[in-house]
Amino acid sequence: MERKVNFNINGKKVDLNIDSRELLVDVIRDHITLKGTRIGCDTSNCGACTVIVNGKAVKSCTMLGVQADGKEIITIEGITQGEELHPIQKAFMERHGMQCGYCTSGMIMTAYWLLSNRKNPSDEEIKRYFSGNLCRCTGYQDIIDSVRHASELMHSEEEKIVVEQR
Amino acid sequence: MRSEKEMVTGRMQYIDDIVMDGMLHMTVVRSPYSFAKINAIRGGLNHTDFNSEMKSFGEGETGEETGPGETMFAGSHAFYAGQPVAAVFGKTKYESEDNADSVEVDYEPLKPIMNLNDSLKLGPVHGSMKSNVLKRTLLGKEFSIADSHIDLSDSFMMERIATNPIEGRGLVCHYDDNKLNVWISGQSMHSIKSGLCGTLNLPPDRVRVFHVDTGGAFGLKGGMYPEYAIAGFASMKYGKPVKWIETRREHLMASKPGRGVRGDITISARKDGKILGLKGKVLVDAGAFGGSIAEFSPRFIGYQITGPYAIGNVYVDAQALVTNKPPQGPYRGAGRPEASFLMERMIDRLADETGLDPVDIRLTNAATEPFKTPTGMTIPESRSFLQDAIRELGYRNFRKPERPGFSFFALLPASSPGEGARIRCSEGKVKVWLGGNTHGQGHEFFVKSLLSTEFRIDPGLITLEYADTDMLEKGEGSWGSRSAMVGGNAIIELARRIIKRIEKEEGHYAPEILLDGEYDEQDFVSYKKTLISYGANLVTADVDTYGNVHVKECRSYYDVGRALVPHMVRGQIIGGCMQGIGQTLYEEISYSEDGTLLTGSISDAGLPTAEKIPEFTVKYAENPSEFPHGAKGLGESPTIGVPTALARAIELASGKRIRNTPVRPDYLIG
Ligand code: FES
Ligand code: FES
């Protein structure tokens, strides 16, 4: 059944007609054609499809597109400012938090959520927050290091802003 | 190739991101039964439309396969749960999934063979065979030892596991202007091309295969599968682009899992720990068909069973047995971890029997000079590496009651037969094509680093292009710890040819001449030897009262020859260690006796999560190889060394003999 939905994705309003059974991940990838959100499983285990919905990390394969009606969504494409990378993205590059890159969008979006809740997460907290994101390549160590490094980069950026404001 | 920046911004282009005008999505209808007679199929594309047999499977292929090979669709019988029976199509993936309901199949379930014992005992699955023995090889020579003090026998099983890259298999086929163009997530474009030519009966100039960004593979994506040929056939039949993307469930039921190996081993030794002989039976769960790596696996395991040790008498009876499961495939290590597990477990057992330190037994048996094993493998001297490893891994610093598991192994990379490459310099840029295709190992890093040194130019001028069978005539593939080694060797060789040519034409070489000119070299640079290297691991673990294993530390010490890109070396090692831990503790594809697949999700399959990681220590020796870049194989080392060291650590912590992987909690507290 066709349904009309509208939501805000990466700061832009979209109006769409979608089939009511379509998963949010398919709506994002196939209707809005933002392909950075990945699909890695069919049982909501892998986290490759993680996006932010109303401020919380959500596996976009666990939600129907129609359930996102009226909500605010951020995907991997929405965290860069023009060509300026988000500190989390910089941190993943500097600490090589990926090999094949397939899990990376989901990892970065989970990090985005974690670091907006916890400024200085411990390694144990990082591991816990990431327990729903699978990576087959890295053995997670470089991902955890990247997230820790990202929290440092975000601190120093905040300090920079404070200094500039003074 | 896209690289790290594209990865962090979501701009990689994986196979599922490709969209073409008029593209059809394909859904495969599969047998739910592990063994069944098919009385009728109505609907969909099926074996009455397309009925050719598997050709070309990449890794482990010898050209001497006898089969029986898999047909692209099941015909009179379905031989494993998940075998393609029909294919349907739709304009969207939802529509194509809906269309699966239109296919009706009349199955008559039969009693399947789901384990090696039944395979040996019961009559043949295939009417064309006399028994279920698909392949049998005898390695070494029969022997008897009069003066041995100890004879020990034991039996081990490594269950089947799925490769489980986070991106499954997938491709897009577009038959256009008499040519089948294929974009695919993969490890070897040339192997896929010959598989498509063979199954679709097309000459080589009518098939072109392109690599796209690939989300991991670990052996999965090296060769041909029925779904690839079916998608190609459909694109030719319907004149439209056809896309097939594997679901995780399909991956678990119908991709080719690795391992599935049993070993019954007897060693004869003296009281001082010197092993005088090894006899073994190696049984490989081949799955339902030959014409796959299963025909090669038993022989490969038997060949290298004694690893880095000089053991004078060896006799192995190695067999591949047919079962009603999907054909066996390579999984990171592909025979190497299996061989090492059998040897290393017996050494630890011998230590317990003699009261000697297991590491001292390894020292006693390590080769003090190059040694040719009775199975025909020649290993370099190994004792000095072992001595270094014991020191570097800090083995002797542990004090009772803390005792770590320790492993020592020989890595036999698939360096033979070499690799194809092409270098083209034009308009001030250097473009490179390689026969082995990256799926997360960062080939672009070593290509840039090696060629900027050879040509003395800025690495920013060098790009590794997506593989494309029309741009490179001959190529092998990325597997068997080979790419940096033989791919690296090939591009250095070609670069030097270009430099020589410039020297001849211009009197001398200078980077400016290269960048101002037009040069194009391609060749398959052969290398026929197996360049063995050594490695060792140390692992510590606790077992709690529920039988859960907590891996505390995982230390690695490998001879990498030369670390071409240090962060990739470290990343490959840690990632591989985690896969080794996964195999040992959690991973398995399991079936009920009646052939029902019990592993329903990627979590059931046992992929470890971030919470499970131990403290990793990565060290490496750099004893340069004979290649100009000095590098040796690496990618499979951790999956060889970690399961054996971890098994010992668990044994020490639990007091239970570890014979099988995965090690289940109920076994440890039972
Ligand atoms: S695709 Fe959503 S969790 Fe795997
Ligand atoms: S980098 Fe390949 S799955 Fe995480």
Side-chain angles (χ1 to χ4, degrees):
Chain A
M1 208 177 55
E2 287 260 307
R3 277 267 313 263
K4 227 177 151 55
V5 288
N6 66 75
F7 38 75
N8 183 306
I9 187 156
N10 300 332
K12 273 193 221 108
K13 274 187 61 96
V14 292
D15 288 293
L16 288 172
N17 285 322
I18 60 172
D19 192 333
S20 54
R21 63 180 174 157
E22 276 181 279
L23 298 175
L24 178 59
V25 65
D26 294 322
V27 174
I28 293 172
R29 286 179 49 83
D30 299 340
H31 288 270
I32 310 176
T33 64
L34 290 172
K35 300 282 190 188
T37 303
R38 314 280 172 206
I39 300 171
C41 71
D42 42 19
T43 46
S44 303
N45 291 120
C46 77
C49 63
T50 306
V51 299
I52 308 292
V53 179
N54 284 359
K56 275 184 74 174
V58 168
K59 293 178 178 177
S60 58
C61 71
T62 59
M63 224 176 145
L64 293 170
V66 291
Q67 291 173 307
D69 193 17
K71 304 224 157 81
E72 212 166 285
I73 300 166
I74 308 173
T75 69
I76 186 74
E77 291 89 351
I79 65 168
T80 34
Q81 304 284 331
E83 274 305 295
E84 176 67 15
L85 296 183
H86 189 279
I88 301 173
Q89 294 172 311
K90 284 185 201 153
F92 269 71
M93 286 183 70
E94 282 166 18
R95 290 291 183 274
H96 307 291
M98 63 254 152
Q99 286 176 24
C100 78
Y102 200 78
C103 69
T104 311
S105 302
M107 293 289 175
I108 289 179
M109 296 318 286
T110 300
Y112 185 91
W113 176 53
L114 164 64
L115 296 175
S116 63
N117 285 336
R118 312 272 304 135
K119 280 199 169 162
N120 240 326
S122 67
D123 278 10
E124 288 321 302
E125 273 175 303
I126 298 177
K127 288 183 201 169
R128 221 176 27 243
Y129 264 79
F130 279 83
S131 63
N133 288 76
L134 298 176
C135 174
R136 187 56 150 170
C137 303
T138 63
Y140 303 105
Q141 187 60 60
D142 289 343
I143 294 176
I144 294 165
D145 292 348
S146 301
V147 176
R148 206 186 313 106
H149 182 52
S151 90
E152 289 154 13
L153 288 183
M154 285 167 79
H155 276 312
S156 60
E157 291 214 349
E158 267 175 29
E159 275 164 27
K160 219 164 68 192
I161 293 168
V162 173
V163 171
E164 276 165 12
Q165 280 170 349
R166 276 194 197 136
Chain B
M1 304 244 12
R2 293 178 187 82
S3 196
E4 291 189 322
K5 183 157 183 206
E6 283 76 22
M7 292 185 188
V8 300
T9 49
R11 287 186 213 143
M12 295 289 276
Q13 202 177 66
Y14 299 104
I15 189 66
D16 197 15
D17 303 338
I18 294 181
V19 175
M20 287 183 189
D21 282 348
M23 187 172 80
L24 296 175
H25 294 255
M26 177 170 101
T27 296
V28 178
V29 178
R30 298 171 186 279
S31 167
Y33 299 104
S34 281
F35 196 18
K37 192 161 171 283
I38 298 179
N39 292 324
I41 303 174
R42 278 175 295 274
L45 207 61
N46 61 49
H47 76 108
T48 56
D49 303 287
F50 179 45
N51 188 24
S52 71
E53 202 176 283
M54 181 63 74
K55 297 279 172 356
S56 169
F57 57 86
E59 184 170 3
E61 186 166 340
T62 59
E64 294 159 14
E65 288 73 22
T66 49
E70 180 168 12
T71 50
M72 300 299 101
F73 283 115
S76 64
H77 289 80
F79 288 99
Y80 63 90
Q83 189 179 0
V85 172
V88 294
F89 303 84
K91 285 203 246 5
T92 66
K93 77 176 173 188
Y94 286 82
E95 192 186 299
S96 113
E97 281 163 20
D98 288 346
N99 288 341
D101 292 341
S102 68
V103 178
E104 284 171 35
V105 189
D106 178 8
Y107 295 102
E108 195 179 314
L110 302 170
K111 186 180 160 28
I113 290 183
M114 300 313 292
N115 60 58
L116 295 171
N117 278 342
D118 283 353
S119 178
L120 283 171
K121 250 186 0 230
L122 302 178
V125 166
H126 293 283
S128 58
M129 292 173 69
K130 288 200 188 65
S131 74
N132 286 312
V133 180
L134 180 70
K135 200 119 246 184
R136 183 172 183 201
T137 316
L138 302 175
L139 297 107
K141 260 209 325 261
E142 272 278 25
F143 63 89
S144 67
I145 294 170
D147 60 348
S148 95
H149 305 283
I150 304 164
D151 289 311
L152 290 176
S153 298
D154 219 332
S155 184
F156 306 96
M157 180 75 207
M158 283 148 275
E159 298 294 347
R160 280 184 157 210
I161 48 188
T163 49
N164 266 325
I166 306 301
E167 179 202 46
R169 294 176 289 151
L171 80 167
V172 174
C173 297
H174 188 198
Y175 189 67
D176 186 26
D177 202 13
N178 265 328
K179 192 154 182 164
L180 181 64
N181 297 289
V182 176
W183 291 261
I184 192 163
S185 174
Q187 300 171 237
S188 167
M189 298 306 103
H190 288 86
S191 150
I192 303 294
K193 175 174 168 168
S194 64
L196 289 166
C197 290
T199 48
L200 295 167
N201 202 12
L202 291 171
D205 61 348
R206 285 183 57 204
V207 178
R208 181 175 190 178
V209 184
F210 302 87
H211 195 216
V212 298
D213 289 329
T214 294
F218 316 110
L220 173 73
K221 301 172 185 172
M224 194 59 192
Y225 287 89
E227 294 89 345
Y228 299 171
I230 297 169
F233 179 84
S235 180
M236 293 170 72
K237 182 174 163 92
Y238 302 128
K240 289 198 167 139
V242 172
K243 180 195 256 188
W244 175 68
I245 302 294
E246 179 180 65
T247 65
R248 186 59 49 182
R249 173 130 184 106
E250 289 180 295
H251 178 77
L252 299 173
M253 70 191 319
S255 70
K256 297 176 174 171
R259 313 284 186 267
V261 173
R262 189 174 108 192
D264 302 334
I265 310 292
T266 300
I267 55 169
S268 306
R270 288 194 318 237
K271 275 204 198 98
D272 64 359
K274 176 76 190 158
I275 300 170
L276 304 172
L278 179 149
K279 279 185 195 166
K281 189 178 241 184
V282 171
L283 302 176
V284 172
D285 183 342
F289 297 102
S292 75
I293 196 175
E295 295 201 30
F296 172 68
S297 297
R299 163 152 61 102
F300 189 50
I301 295 169
Y303 174 72
Q304 62 182 299
I305 197 159
T306 48
Y309 307 110
I311 297 175
N313 298 289
V314 180
Y315 183 62
V316 182
D317 176 355
Q319 305 182 22
L321 303 177
V322 173
T323 60
N324 288 108
K325 298 183 194 170
Q328 190 207 28
Y331 169 57
R332 197 170 186 171
R336 302 163 181 89
E338 292 89 330
S340 177
F341 192 80
L342 301 176
M343 185 73 237
E344 293 292 277
R345 293 279 62 223
M346 288 311 289
I347 291 190
D348 288 333
R349 171 96 196 269
L350 180 61
D352 292 338
E353 209 69 29
T354 55
L356 297 167
D357 187 309
V359 157
D360 291 329
I361 296 188
R362 289 180 170 85
L363 280 167
T364 301
N365 290 288
T368 52
E369 58 190 9
F371 177 77
K372 183 155 187 200
T373 70
T375 59
M377 163 175 81
T378 301
I379 56 169
E381 184 273 330
S382 64
R383 195 164 193 273
S384 52
F385 177 87
L386 177 57
Q387 282 166 329
D388 292 348
I390 295 166
R391 192 186 58 246
E392 292 293 325
L393 294 174
Y395 177 78
R396 307 247 191 235
N397 303 339
F398 285 84
R399 293 280 163 262
K400 275 187 186 161
E402 250 201 317
R403 286 182 303 161
F406 185 94
S407 66
F408 179 36
F409 62 85
L411 168 67
L412 276 67
S415 37
S416 175
E419 189 53 284
R422 176 175 187 178
I423 300 179
R424 195 167 75 184
C425 313
S426 171
E427 296 169 1
K429 297 256 169 27
V430 174
K431 292 186 173 175
V432 179
W433 290 265
L434 271 181
N437 314 129
T438 180
H439 39 285
Q441 305 93 328
H443 291 180
E444 61 278 10
F445 292 110
F446 78 73
V447 165
K448 280 175 190 270
S449 137
L450 293 176
L451 287 187
S452 62
T453 311
E454 288 297 318
F455 285 139
R456 289 185 273 129
I457 60 172
D458 185 316
L461 299 172
I462 304 164
T463 49
L464 175 63
E465 300 293 306
Y466 286 99
D468 166 350
T469 53
D470 272 13
M471 295 305 288
L472 178 67
E473 245 164 63
K474 226 177 142 217
E476 182 71 6
S478 273
W479 52 64
S481 309
R482 66 197 312 277
S483 286
M485 241 187 332
V486 288
N489 183 48
I491 57 170
I492 290 180
E493 165 73 25
L494 296 182
R496 290 185 182 174
R497 283 188 207 166
I498 293 175
I499 291 170
K500 269 217 186 95
R501 193 180 131 197
I502 294 178
E503 282 170 349
K504 208 165 139 209
E505 288 170 5
E506 313 286 334
H508 73 292
Y509 171 81
E512 301 72 43
I513 308 177
L514 174 82
L515 296 174
D516 282 345
E518 301 271 327
Y519 302 92
D520 195 350
E521 274 284 341
Q522 73 162 304
D523 205 353
F524 190 91
V525 179
S526 59
Y527 184 81
K528 290 283 160 59
K529 288 183 275 184
T530 301
L531 190 94
I532 292 180
S533 59
Y534 293 123
N537 280 95
L538 180 148
V539 177
T540 58
D542 278 342
V543 179
D544 68 20
T545 44
Y546 304 104
N548 295 307
V549 177
H550 304 275
V551 185
K552 294 195 290 186
E553 268 203 76
C554 178
R555 304 182 189 174
S556 306
Y557 182 68
Y558 305 147
D559 181 5
V560 302
R562 187 162 80 81
L564 301 183
V565 187
H567 82 260
M568 288 306 306
V569 168
R570 199 186 111 85
Q572 283 287 309
I573 292 177
I574 291 179
C577 284
M578 206 57 208
Q579 292 189 340
I581 292 171
Q583 178 198 329
T584 316
L585 298 181
Y586 319 112
E587 295 187 41
E588 180 178 0
I589 295 292
S590 60
Y591 295 84
S592 68
E593 288 248 314
D594 68 0
T596 309
L597 178 67
L598 300 175
T599 311
S601 71
I602 193 167
S603 296
D604 291 350
L607 237 69
T609 63
E611 289 174 296
K612 300 282 199 272
I613 71 168
E615 186 182 328
F616 293 108
T617 304
V618 173
K619 288 186 168 187
Y620 42 82
E622 293 188 283
N623 302 315
S625 70
E626 63 187 35
F627 287 121
H629 50 50
K632 292 180 180 170
L634 160 72
E636 295 168 312
S637 292
T639 51
I640 308 174
V642 171
T644 55
L646 175 53
R648 180 60 175 173
I650 301 168
E651 202 159 84
L652 292 170
S654 68
K656 290 265 179 163
R657 180 74 54 203
I658 304 302
R659 297 186 176 87
N660 306 329
T661 66
V663 181
R664 295 289 183 197
D666 53 349
Y667 172 70
L668 294 179
I669 53 174

